[in-house]
Amino acid sequence: MSTIVLMSKKYNINPDNIAAPLAASIGDIVTLSLLCLTSTFIYDRMEEKAWLAPIILGFYLFSSVLWFYLTYKHKFTRKILLAPSTWLPIVGGMVISCFAGKIFDHAVKMFKKIAVLQPVMNGVGGNLVAVQASRISTYLHCNSKMGNLPDEIGSICASPFETFYNGIHSRSAAALLLLLVPGHMIFVAVIWSVHPDLNVTVVFMTIYVLAAIVQVVILLYLVDILVHYFWKSGVDPDNAAIPCITSTGDLLGTALLVIAFQIIYCIQGGDNEEGLVAYLQSS
């Protein structure tokens, strides 16, 4: 990530538009890859080498202590490491994401094909809003001191009209909304090419895209309030806002996707009938 920021500066590209989405995407890929590789490696050798799992866990614990020590020794990261305002949003984000996972666990029993769309719904929305959070935070760092809002910002709780029409960051919010629809359509087309059994109709796309728009509109408004609130409270929004807003995006996106699938099922039924009936009978 440091390389990406430095390369962005070299080629006169705003890292706020690149770093946050790439950090989220690379983080997901690395986490899932390590989880899959480690779990598969342990599972295949679980009966023959029972001592293997404790050794791997011990290695991870030792690595955590090592990284903590190295972070603590660095003067620029020590303050962030020890500040409660750094850990509370991360822990809070993890709790919110657990609720999103609970909703998804029930949803996938009713609608099996929701699993291929949930990462797209949450990933696109979360990445777009993370860009907006980084842009607002950078603006505050450049134009005011932490704890004080710039003169041109009237209050923490801006109206939706200011967020999307005549506010300081309204143009970037509108641009991100414009990217949303073609982005989702491209991703759904790619998913459809891989999963041709996904019943992509005009009704499906309309309801799905409407759910995605509702998700991002709510998140863009929330991030406008949240970043300014953290700044006014003396908390660096770069450390606190993105974990909160991306986890909220996961919860909101999953819930809206379930609602969308319920509406689609009520309108056109079909593919999801067996899963829904089986789920209702087991409840």
Side-chain angles (χ1 to χ4, degrees):
M1 292 312 302
S2 301
T3 303
I4 291 171
V5 173
L6 293 173
M7 293 297 292
S8 299
K9 182 178 180 181
K10 180 179 179 179
Y11 292 103
N12 295 320
I13 300 173
N14 188 350
D16 285 332
N17 299 333
I18 300 175
L22 284 180
S25 302
I26 294 172
D28 289 344
I29 292 173
V30 171
T31 302
L32 290 174
S33 300
L34 286 174
L35 180 62
C36 292
L37 291 172
T38 305
S39 58
T40 302
F41 184 79
I42 293 175
Y43 183 80
D44 292 340
R45 297 160 178 81
M46 188 166 52
E47 296 182 359
E48 301 174 358
K49 301 177 181 178
W51 48 266
L52 191 60
I55 288 180
I56 294 176
L57 289 174
F59 171 75
Y60 283 148
L61 288 174
F62 174 76
S63 298
S64 300
V65 174
L66 177 63
W67 300 131
F68 183 92
Y69 173 77
L70 294 176
T71 305
Y72 181 80
K73 293 293 290 184
H74 197 285
K75 63 179 182 180
F76 294 112
T77 55
R78 185 185 302 127
K79 183 178 178 181
I80 297 173
L81 180 68
L82 299 178
S85 59
T86 301
W87 291 103
L88 287 177
I90 294 174
V91 174
M94 292 170 65
V95 172
I96 294 172
S97 293
C98 288
F99 285 105
K102 193 68 176 176
I103 294 173
F104 180 71
D105 181 54
H106 286 285
V108 79
K109 295 175 184 176
M110 294 187 289
F111 308 105
K112 294 181 179 179
K113 293 172 186 175
I114 200 173
V116 298
L117 292 171
Q118 189 255 3
V120 176
M121 171 69 84
N122 293 345
V124 172
N127 286 337
L128 289 177
V129 178
V131 170
Q132 183 74 342
S134 295
R135 292 179 66 89
I136 298 174
S137 180
T138 299
Y139 177 85
L140 293 173
H141 277 287
C142 293
N143 292 277
S144 64
K145 293 183 178 180
M146 192 173 295
N148 298 306
L149 294 174
D151 295 335
E152 58 271 23
I153 298 176
S155 64
I156 294 173
C157 297
S159 67
F161 187 76
E162 289 180 287
T163 300
F164 297 103
Y165 183 68
N166 69 342
I168 298 172
H169 308 286
S170 58
R171 292 184 65 182
S172 58
L176 292 171
L177 276 175
L178 289 174
L179 289 173
L180 178 67
V181 175
H184 270 293
M185 294 182 73
I186 291 171
F187 282 119
V188 171
V190 172
I191 291 171
W192 192 18
S193 67
V194 177
H195 298 275
D197 56 329
L198 184 65
N199 189 18
V200 178
T201 62
V202 174
V203 173
F204 174 88
M205 282 303 302
T206 302
I207 296 174
Y208 173 80
V209 169
L210 282 175
I213 292 173
V214 170
Q215 178 206 25
V216 174
V217 166
I218 294 173
L219 290 177
L220 285 173
Y221 183 59
L222 285 177
V223 79
D224 199 8
I225 296 173
L226 200 60
V227 171
H228 290 106
Y229 169 77
F230 281 129
W231 185 266
K232 183 71 174 178
S233 303
V235 178
D236 191 345
D238 283 327
N239 302 328
I242 291 180
C244 293
I245 203 65
T246 51
S247 58
T248 304
D250 289 344
L251 179 62
L252 187 60
T254 303
L256 287 170
L257 192 58
V258 173
I259 294 171
F261 265 73
Q262 291 278 15
I263 295 172
I264 293 166
Y265 172 77
C266 292
I267 293 175
Q268 62 186 35
D271 295 339
N272 299 311
E273 185 173 359
E274 293 182 0
L276 182 60
V277 171
Y279 175 79
L280 293 175
Q281 288 176 346
S282 64
S283 300

